Amino acid sequence: SDLRLPDMRHALEDALASPSPDQSRIEWLWAILEPQVRRRIEGRVERRIRESKLPARKTLEAFDFAFQADLSRDLFHELATLRFLDEGINVLFAGMSGTGKSHLAMALALVACVANRRVLYTTSASMLANLNASLADGTLSRAINPFVRADLLVIDEVGLEQVESRSAARSGLMQKVLFPRYDHARSTI
């Protein structure tokens, strides 16, 4: 119990109580380790999702590609491999409201969370409001840090609110986030 491995302890107790003569030593050991490993992975994924601030858990499987016939399902499955993250490539979704841009961005963010990548979801207006507030109290560099550090930054709803144009024009805050991300080859959707 000092090691905080309760799943492993229970699996060991079960394995010792009813040993299976058909199991190899490796199979026996894996039967003990697997519940603890699975629990740790599930906990890590949940933590990544929680830290990402995703407003909903959207998946590529739930997206209606028939509704958007011009979209390439193959392209999005390629994006789901997350190679674009490894290569520091940015992705831009452009289109009219209600076409699924947010759904697809959140689905890719969820895939990245499951792959243990640091993800941060925000709307453009929320990010700029946060950064503007940090200008007032002198904490801009601290406020920018989470946006720059994320392996994948999803900035949704770009250009939809007036606060963006007023805020961005005054201080160049969007560039203060995007330029360091570009320099460190960190992907942005």
Side-chain angles (χ1 to χ4, degrees):
S1 67
D2 290 341
L3 295 176
R4 292 183 277 167
L5 303 171
D7 295 318
M8 191 182 302
R9 186 185 73 213
H10 294 305
L12 177 60
E13 290 168 356
D14 292 344
L16 292 174
S18 57
S20 173
D22 299 337
Q23 277 186 324
S24 70
R25 290 179 183 170
I26 295 294
E27 290 170 328
W28 182 83
L29 181 60
W30 181 245
I32 294 168
L33 294 174
E34 191 267 338
Q36 190 69 47
V37 169
R38 185 174 8 95
R39 182 176 178 181
R40 291 262 170 106
I41 291 170
E42 289 168 358
R44 183 189 69 214
V45 168
E46 285 304 313
R47 180 177 49 84
R48 289 288 188 200
I49 293 169
R50 190 175 51 254
E51 290 172 352
S52 75
K53 300 180 182 172
L54 281 168
R57 294 183 186 202
K58 302 286 187 175
T59 64
L60 286 177
E61 295 76 24
F63 186 78
D64 184 6
F65 282 95
F67 174 69
Q68 293 297 333
D70 291 342
L71 291 179
S72 166
R73 183 184 302 250
D74 291 339
L75 173 63
F76 283 94
H77 286 292
E78 169 60 28
L79 289 171
T81 67
L82 304 179
R83 268 181 272 210
F84 75 99
L85 287 180
D86 298 330
E87 297 170 7
I89 295 172
N90 297 310
V91 178
L92 175 67
F93 296 157
M96 301 296 290
S97 293
T99 56
K101 298 179 301 296
S102 295
H103 182 125
L104 291 168
M106 285 187 257
L108 292 174
L110 186 61
V111 169
C113 288
V114 170
N116 196 30
R117 302 296 188 99
R118 189 181 304 131
V119 176
L120 183 58
Y121 172 93
T122 185
T123 64
S124 179
S126 175
M127 180 180 73
L128 292 172
N130 178 308
L131 295 177
N132 260 323
S134 72
L135 282 174
D137 63 11
T139 59
L140 181 61
S141 62
R142 193 169 357 144
I144 286 176
N145 196 33
F147 299 110
V148 173
R149 274 191 25 224
D151 297 323
L152 175 61
L153 175 63
V154 177
I155 307 173
D156 204 357
E157 301 176 2
V158 175
L160 293 183
E161 298 191 31
Q162 287 183 344
V163 67
E164 294 176 57
S165 57
R166 287 193 309 267
S167 301
R170 191 179 86 214
S171 61
L173 292 174
M174 186 70 81
Q175 289 84 355
K176 291 182 188 311
V177 170
L178 296 180
F179 288 167
R181 291 190 60 73
Y182 177 80
D183 289 343
H184 291 80
R186 294 206 172 107
S187 300
T188 304
I189 294 178

